[in-house]
Amino acid sequence: MIRPVFGILVFLAIFHFPATESRRHQKTTSGIEFSALNCRKHSAVLTDFGGVGDGKTSNTKAFKKAISKLSQMASDGGAQLVVPPGKWLTGSFNLTSHFTLFIQKGATILATQDESEWPVIAALPSYGEGRDETGTARFNSLISGTNLTDVVTTGRSTVRDSTGGINSKRSNSCTNTLIEDCHIVSGDDCIAVKSGWDQYGIKFGMPTQQLSIRRLTCISPKSAGVALGSEMSGGIKDVRIEDVNLIDTESAIRIKTAPGRGGYVKDIFARRFTMKTMKYVFWMNGNYNSHPKGYDPKAFPEVSNINYRDMTAENVTLSASLDGIEKDPFTGICISNVTISLSAEPKKLQWNCTNVAGVTSRVKPGPCSLLPEKHVDCKFPTDLIPIESVVLKKCFI
Ligand SMILES: *[C@@H]1O[C@H](CO)[C@@H](O)[C@H](O)[C@H]1NC(C)=O
Ligand SMILES: *[C@@H]1O[C@H](CO)[C@@H](O)[C@H](O)[C@H]1NC(C)=O
Ligand SMILES: *[C@@H]1O[C@H](CO)[C@@H](O)[C@H](O)[C@H]1NC(C)=O
Ligand SMILES: *[C@@H]1O[C@H](CO)[C@@H](O)[C@H](O)[C@H]1NC(C)=O
Ligand SMILES: *[C@@H]1O[C@H](CO)[C@@H](O)[C@H](O)[C@H]1NC(C)=O
């Protein structure tokens, strides 16, 4: 969602990806070594297309020209666009298939505040109406794409946006996705997982599944580290989240839904979180009521098999607010080996549970009666999702 900018709020998002630039060659755009799924036959630099990295000149046209040119090489070994060191102001642009956006160390992509550089496009079919308060439309995302295959965004990159309320990484009805080694500072959820809105999402029926998030560092004072929903009507399942470091973040994982959403959030596994200065650690809401016209209030969502383990948190106001739906409780919640130390002014009721069922083991402070202590270790899958088993190739430019 794009909103006008008020005051001096600047939200910074830094994505650190596994690509490694060879230190010997960092100063030039040739001689870069990096790891990727697929090495590309062709490569070009943004400045070849008139790009200016002064932080003031708009590079929207340069990005569009470059990607349009490089899209012609999709069937001939693919192409790579290098963004060299500099501050690259831009509006939104679309990626293309068999393509790598390589953002070099020292390169910052700055999202423009000029709204005319954010084209309004049709709402997703799984949303029916846009949620951007623009009728049946929405603003295109900064770096966007539809129906693409074999796309990599990599490097040592910084993406800044000065428009409040952007989810730094948004997964839209995606299968087999890996998000790793990211440092994100956000004014909204660091990672938002979604799959469609109410009757439109139910009808479209395309879940987010097989999602792995690992080695995430997130600062999000007003939102979650990872949010599941609230638009989850196509379903969200088989999500693994591990080795997460949260600092000054509202909540760790937040599950948001409401009657009317339908769909499901199930088979969610999280472990090894280290947290400091949190309003909530665990947060689930069954009353996230924002609906399109004509939604079916009897379309109840299923929230089940939610597993959290091996976590520590310091300076916490409220350990858990777990609020399911009456006659549609959230079930199969398992929380084990979690130690939470409280802030100077903690809430009296540390585990506030309604309409939920499950178990806990070795949690401090002690849990609510709906999640009684059982001697268990909550599950975390031992198999990998397909993308985690891919061996990266060594590539050179
Ligand atoms: C970018 O992609 C969106 C759909 O994702 C499309 O509506 C829009 O026309 C595309 N823009 C350009 C310039 O191709
Ligand atoms: C994406 O693919 C679907 C299904 O093939 C098609 O209906 C839709 O028009 C495509 N969208 C774009 C923007 O190409
Ligand atoms: C603890 O959290 C409060 C906000 O709840 C914050 O103001 C304070 O600085 C934090 N203390 C430490 C030691 O991080
Ligand atoms: C409990 O969690 C901590 C991390 O917070 C981990 O170091 C420890 O090994 C876990 N204990 C067990 C028995 O799994
Ligand atoms: C517990 O949570 C419910 C539902 O969110 C809320 O209405 C209630 O005020 C909370 N109770 C306390 C004591 O915080």
Side-chain angles (χ1 to χ4, degrees), residues 97-332:
S97 290
H98 306 290
F99 176 79
T100 299
L101 183 67
F102 186 82
I103 305 167
Q104 270 194 286
K105 185 172 183 187
T108 301
I109 296 185
L110 287 170
T112 182
Q113 296 181 29
D114 178 355
E115 230 178 82
S116 69
E117 298 231 47
W118 297 86
V120 171
I121 63 171
L124 287 169
S126 56
Y127 275 69
E129 305 168 24
R131 294 196 64 212
D132 284 359
E133 298 149 44
T134 49
T136 56
R138 62 188 163 120
F139 291 103
N140 204 14
S141 317
L142 181 63
I143 300 177
S144 179
T146 307
N147 294 355
L148 301 182
T149 181
D150 181 20
V151 179
V152 179
T153 306
T154 189
R156 293 272 178 227
S157 63
T158 305
V159 178
R160 273 172 193 266
D161 78 71
S162 43
T163 59
I166 286 189
N167 300 122
S168 296
K169 294 250 153 188
R170 189 180 270 223
S171 166
N172 259 333
S173 298
C174 294
T175 293
N176 194 22
T177 308
L178 174 63
I179 301 173
E180 63 180 359
D181 298 301
C182 291
H183 289 223
I184 301 176
V185 182
S186 181
D188 202 326
D189 306 315
C190 283
I191 297 182
V193 181
K194 296 172 183 284
S195 66
W197 194 26
D198 285 10
Q199 69 271 31
Y200 303 108
I202 294 168
K203 185 165 173 221
F204 201 74
M206 193 167 172
T208 289
Q209 56 192 343
Q210 294 182 319
L211 170 63
S212 169
I213 299 166
R214 58 193 188 195
R215 298 188 299 273
L216 167 70
T217 297
C218 158
I219 301 178
S220 175
K222 297 274 184 268
S223 291
V226 178
L228 306 174
S230 81
E231 307 97 83
M232 37 57 72
S233 304
I236 295 173
K237 71 175 175 199
D238 192 3
V239 179
R240 298 109 183 265
I241 312 168
E242 58 189 323
D243 300 307
V244 172
N245 185 18
L246 303 171
I247 306 146
D248 194 8
T249 292
E250 190 180 33
S251 65
I253 298 172
R254 185 175 179 198
I255 297 176
K256 313 186 250 191
T257 185
R261 290 283 190 273
Y264 52 81
V265 176
K266 65 183 180 190
D267 310 332
I268 309 298
F269 308 93
R271 67 175 172 188
R272 300 197 299 244
F273 280 43
T274 308
M275 298 166 261
K276 185 156 191 205
T277 304
M278 310 285 297
K279 186 167 173 198
Y280 309 86
V281 176
F282 305 113
W283 199 10
M284 300 182 189
N285 305 91
N287 62 348
Y288 209 88
N289 282 306
S290 63
H291 298 285
K293 271 191 224 95
Y295 80 99
D296 172 9
K298 293 202 194 74
F300 287 106
E302 175 195 343
V303 177
S304 65
N305 195 23
I306 312 294
N307 302 274
Y308 302 146
R309 61 177 288 175
D310 306 340
M311 302 184 178
T312 57
E314 289 171 40
N315 200 20
V316 168
T317 307
L318 177 56
S319 297
S321 177
L322 307 176
D323 191 14
I325 296 169
E326 212 186 327
K327 299 195 188 116
D328 175 34
F330 298 171
T331 61

Side-chain angles (χ1 to χ4, degrees), residues 368-382:
C368 54
S369 60
L370 295 178
L371 302 177
E373 163 81 34
K374 291 268 149 72
H375 197 77
V376 292
D377 285 315
C378 303
K379 270 176 292 187
F380 195 95
T382 50

